[in-house]
Structures are given as structure tokens and as C-alpha cells.
């Protein structure tokens, strides 16, 4: 864990217009002073991210909401009170002074108060809003460890704060509260159901709005490993060995519902194992926690394919389903 002295140094870097990577409970973020246009531009350069993709502004406390949002509806306030600090981003009408570089020129701004103690300490010490996307190269997997941030960004970030493995492991739920119908733009581990319960009314699930609105991060092959990745139905796993040709191997099979000794084997010359196996947790919270770190590790093993067992169609797995379909470039 980073020390108090390191947090003070990181806040000073932010004040001087530099970049700091920091842990949140979801994934690591690449932060800049959200009021400094030059600093915000450095984020896009470091990530090779297209200029029109809006950034989330991270806040130290709920009392800062009105500094960034011109209108906070009673429902938006209810959500902030229920889920902040935590993995929920609210899209709200922006104050006129919020930089176009942050919002991608849109009339709205994404706001979130993270829960990780290092993120909170950094935000409190800095005092202002910190614009931060996930600390990865554009289209890559989000980093969930400081080591992964270093692999993604190296020297282009002045400081990386160490905060261990991220608790949630997937990016925040994003809900657009700037329109009449609350609309989920990106599913996360705070579910549509949990939000609907707090609001006492239904929310529009993400898929429906997807095609109609420009939402960066919603296109295919975002959050993707470099290795070719595909999904397989649980029922097809026992016969998997028949579906694979030498062009597909070596490969790894990522499963959550099978035990290692139930899984098919494929041996090459000299008894080399051509189908590696990785057994994930069967509980969605634990699965989400491990997913990106596991994919990142597998991506470094020079395999021809990562084959991932499709996860259940239930609400608890929705965010994971979304990230898996993006990792594999499928439209599921
Ligand atoms: O968990 C998270 O949200 C992490 C941590 C670091 O906080 N951040 C994150 O940022 O995932 P990023 O930039 O990788 O994804 C944020 C997404 C953008 O791709 C965009 O889709 C959406 O937030 N977004 C931001 N501002 C928006 C706005 N004004 N309207 C619509 N979508 C917006
Ligand atoms: Mg991202």
C-alpha cells in the first residue's frame, strides 16, 4: 500500500498538471486534474484514446456533486447516497465550466466517488475532481493491479500508487440520470435490480439504448486480450477436443462450472498439454474479482486461443457477460 507521503506527492503531481495512476475498488485509474485541459489531454495521449471519449470525474465527497453537475435530480441524489462511495457512475447535466476535453463535448458529465482508501486519500488531499479512465491502453483490458498498470503505461505516468488487487475487478456501473428514464449505459456489479430497488421504479437496461447513443466503451473489442478469445457453451465443453484443430492450439479453457478432472485433455508430441485449464470461481463476485487479472496472465502465455465458458444468463452475471462478449468480440 502506498504511504501517506506518497499520496501527498501524488496530489502535488496532480496540482502541477501531471498524471497519477491510482487504485479504485473497480480497476486502476489514470488520473489528471479535471480542471486542467493540458493535463487531461495527457491522459488521451498516454492511452492513445480517441479525443471524443468522455472521462469520469472522481470526487472525494458527495458535497462536490454540485460543483460538476448543474442539476442533481432527487433520484440521482438517492443513488449517490445509496451507493457512494462505490462502483456507480452517474451521468448528469454538466456545469458550464466542465471542460469539453473531459466530456467529449457532450452536455453531460460522468461522476463517481470511489471507495478504495487510497483513492479517497488522494482525492481528499488533492481537493478537486480527478478525471480518470481505466489505466490501460485504449481497447486493452483494464488493470486490476499496480503491476498491470506499469505494463500498460510504463513511463508515461509520473507515479503509480500501489493499492493491491482491486476488490470488484470490473469497471463501475454507469447510469445516465440526465434523461427522464434512468438508463444503464454500462452494466457493473451494482445491478439494474439494486438500482431499481433504491429508486422504487424500473430502469432501462443497457442494451436497449446501446444502438441509439454514442457511448464509447460500448463498441466491440473493447476490454479485449490480444490473444484470440472466444466463448463456448457449457454443454459443448466435453466435446471441445473435437472442435479444435492444430491451428487453434495451444489453447486455454476458462471454466467456472466444471472441475479440473472432468475436463477434456489434448496432448501433443512428447505428451505436451495443448489444452490448458483454468478453473474460475462459480460465484459472480469472486469471478469478477479475478477475471481481468486471469485474462492478462493468460494473454502473456503465447497461446493461440483463450476459450471461455459462457456464464449464466442471470442478472448477477450481467456485467461479466457484457465484458466476456466484448473480450471475444461477439455481440451477445
Ligand atoms: O470503474 C470505473 O468506472 C473506472 C475507474 C477508474 O473509476 N473508470 C473507467 O473509465 O472505467 P473509462 O474511461 O475506462 O470508462 C468510462 C466510460 C467511458 O468509456 C464512457 O463510455 C462513459 O464512461 N462516460 C463518461 N462520461 C460520459 C458521459 N458524459 N456520457 C456518457 N458516457 C460517459
Ligand atoms: Mg476503460
Amino acid at each position: 500500500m502506498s504511504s501517506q507521503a506518497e499520496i501527498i506527492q501524488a496530489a502535488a503531481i496532480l496540482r502541477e498538471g501531471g498524471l497519477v495512476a491510482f487504485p479504485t475498488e473497480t480497476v486502476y485509474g489514470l488520473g489528471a486534474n479535471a480542471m486542467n485541459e493540458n493535463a487531461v489531454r495527457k491522459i488521451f495521449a498516454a492511452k492513445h484514446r480517441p479525443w471524443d471519449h468522455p472521462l469520469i470525474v472522481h470526487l472525494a465527497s458527495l458535497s462536490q456533486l454540485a460543483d460538476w453537475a448543474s442539476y442533481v435530480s432527487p433520484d440521482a441524489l438517492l443513488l449517490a447516497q445509496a451507493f457512494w462511495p462505490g462502483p456507480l457512475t452517474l451521468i448528469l447535466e454538466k456545469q458550464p465550466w466542465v471542460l469539453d476535453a473531459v466530456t467529449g463535448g457532450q452536455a453531460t458529465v460522468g461522476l463517481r466517488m470511489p471507495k478504495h482508501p487510497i483513492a479517497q486519500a488522494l482525492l481528499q488531499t488533492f481537493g478537486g475532481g480527478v478525471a480518470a479512465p481505466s489505466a490501460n491502453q485504449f481497447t486493452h483490458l483494464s488493470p486490476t493491479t499496480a503491476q498491470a498498470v506499469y505494463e500498460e503505461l510504463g513511463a508515461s505516468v509520473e507515479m503509480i500508487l500501489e493499492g493491491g488487487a482491486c476488490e470488484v475487478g470490473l469497471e463501475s456501473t454507469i447510469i445516465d440520470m440526465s434523461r427522464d428514464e434512468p438508463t444503464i449505459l454500462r452494466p457493473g456489479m451494482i445491478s439494474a435490480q439494486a438500482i431499481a430497488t433504491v429508486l422504487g421504479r424500473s430502469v432501462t437496461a443497457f442494451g436497449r439504448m446501446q444502438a441509439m447513443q454514442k457511448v464509447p466503451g460500448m463498441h466491440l473489442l473493447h476490454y479485449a486480450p490480444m490473444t484470440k478469445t472466444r466463448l463456448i457453451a457449457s454443454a459443448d465443453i466435453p466435446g471441445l477436443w473435437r472442435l479444435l484443430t492444430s491451428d487453434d492450439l495451444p489453447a486455454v479453457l476458462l471454466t467456472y462450472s466444471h472441475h479440473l478432472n472432468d475436463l477434456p485433455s489434448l496432448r501433443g508430441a512428447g505428451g505436451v498439454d495443448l489444452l490448458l485449464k483454468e478453473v474460475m470461481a462459480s460465484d459472480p463476485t469472486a469471478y469478477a474479482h479475478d477475471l481481468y487479472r486471469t485474462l492478462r496472465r493468460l494473454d502473456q502465455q503465447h497461446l493461440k486461443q483463450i476459450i471461455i465458458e459462457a456464464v449464466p444468463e442471470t442478472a448477477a452475471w450481467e456485467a461479466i457477460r457484457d465484458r466476456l462478449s466484448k473480450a471475444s468480440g461477439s455481440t451477445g
Side-chain angles (χ1 to χ4, degrees):
M1 288 284 172
S2 291
S3 65
Q4 183 65 24
E6 287 168 316
I7 287 163
I8 290 169
Q9 190 191 343
I13 292 171
L14 291 177
R15 268 181 223 116
E16 287 156 16
L19 300 184
V20 172
F22 62 98
T24 81
E25 72 281 20
T26 58
V27 300
Y28 277 72
L30 176 62
N33 177 357
M35 291 299 278
N36 178 335
E37 177 156 359
N38 205 26
V40 170
R41 294 210 174 275
K42 287 184 193 168
I43 291 177
F44 290 86
K47 282 183 58 105
H48 301 99
R49 177 173 168 123
W51 301 104
D52 61 349
H53 284 213
L55 303 176
I56 296 168
V57 178
H58 295 67
L59 306 176
S61 86
L62 219 137
S63 63
Q64 288 170 313
L65 249 179
D67 297 344
W68 298 89
S70 60
Y71 174 64
V72 182
S73 67
D75 276 356
L77 192 60
L78 266 180
L79 293 183
Q81 284 164 342
F83 296 111
W84 285 7
L88 181 73
T89 296
L90 300 175
I91 306 293
L92 296 167
E93 275 168 41
K94 75 179 188 78
Q95 290 286 16
W97 51 81
V98 182
L99 296 171
D100 281 343
V102 170
T103 65
Q106 304 191 61
T108 54
V109 62
L111 299 169
R112 158 163 137 76
M113 180 182 168
K115 194 169 96 183
H116 195 294
I118 303 265
Q120 291 203 342
L122 176 66
L123 290 164
Q124 271 155 21
T125 308
F126 174 63
V130 172
S134 51
N136 52 279
Q137 293 295 322
F138 182 61
T139 76
H140 288 194
L141 293 170
S142 296
T144 54
T145 62
Q147 172 64 30
V149 175
Y150 184 76
E151 288 164 11
E152 286 289 323
L153 300 171
S156 60
V157 46
E158 272 133 278
M159 191 170 184
I160 302 174
L161 292 174
E162 172 63 66
C166 299
E167 184 189 336
V168 177
L170 295 184
E171 303 83 354
S172 61
T173 305
I174 301 180
I175 184 160
D176 189 346
M177 297 302 292
S178 71
R179 52 184 74 234
D180 294 337
E181 272 291 304
T183 303
I184 292 185
L185 303 182
R186 179 174 72 185
M189 296 308 280
I190 291 180
S191 67
Q193 179 59 52
I195 291 171
T197 302
V198 168
L199 295 181
R201 61 168 167 147
S202 66
V203 301
T204 306
F206 87 109
R208 245 176 71 192
M209 292 302 296
Q210 216 171 340
M212 294 163 59
Q213 212 194 1
K214 185 186 80 172
V215 183
M218 295 296 134
H219 58 85
L220 300 181
L221 279 178
H222 208 86
Y223 317 108
M226 302 284 104
T227 312
K228 185 177 168 208
T229 300
R230 64 154 153 147
L231 299 180
I232 182 172
S234 306
D236 293 338
I237 287 178
L240 176 61
W241 59 275
R242 260 180 273 138
L243 306 173
L244 297 175
T245 69
S246 57
D247 288 343
D248 304 318
L249 301 168
V252 63
L253 170 63
L254 205 73
T255 173
Y256 69 91
S257 74
H258 291 65
H259 297 292
L260 263 184
N261 42 9
D262 300 342
L263 292 169
S265 288
L266 279 177
R267 305 252 171 225
V272 184
D273 194 357
L274 294 176
L275 184 59
L276 309 178
K277 291 127 203 170
E278 188 81 31
V279 178
M280 301 286 288
S282 56
D283 154 71
T285 304
Y287 187 111
H289 173 82
D290 293 338
L291 178 62
Y292 286 163
R293 199 154 49 135
T294 303
L295 287 178
R296 196 170 276 279
R297 175 166 48 78
L298 297 177
D299 210 13
Q300 292 166 346
Q301 291 184 14
H302 307 290
L303 302 168
K304 293 228 184 81
Q305 266 190 52
I306 299 173
I307 304 164
I308 306 178
E309 178 182 14
V311 297
E313 292 289 324
T314 57
W317 289 86
E318 185 182 15
I320 296 166
R321 258 193 335 272
D322 170 64
R323 302 313 190 273
L324 291 183
S325 73
K326 279 171 185 144
S328 62
S330 64
T331 44

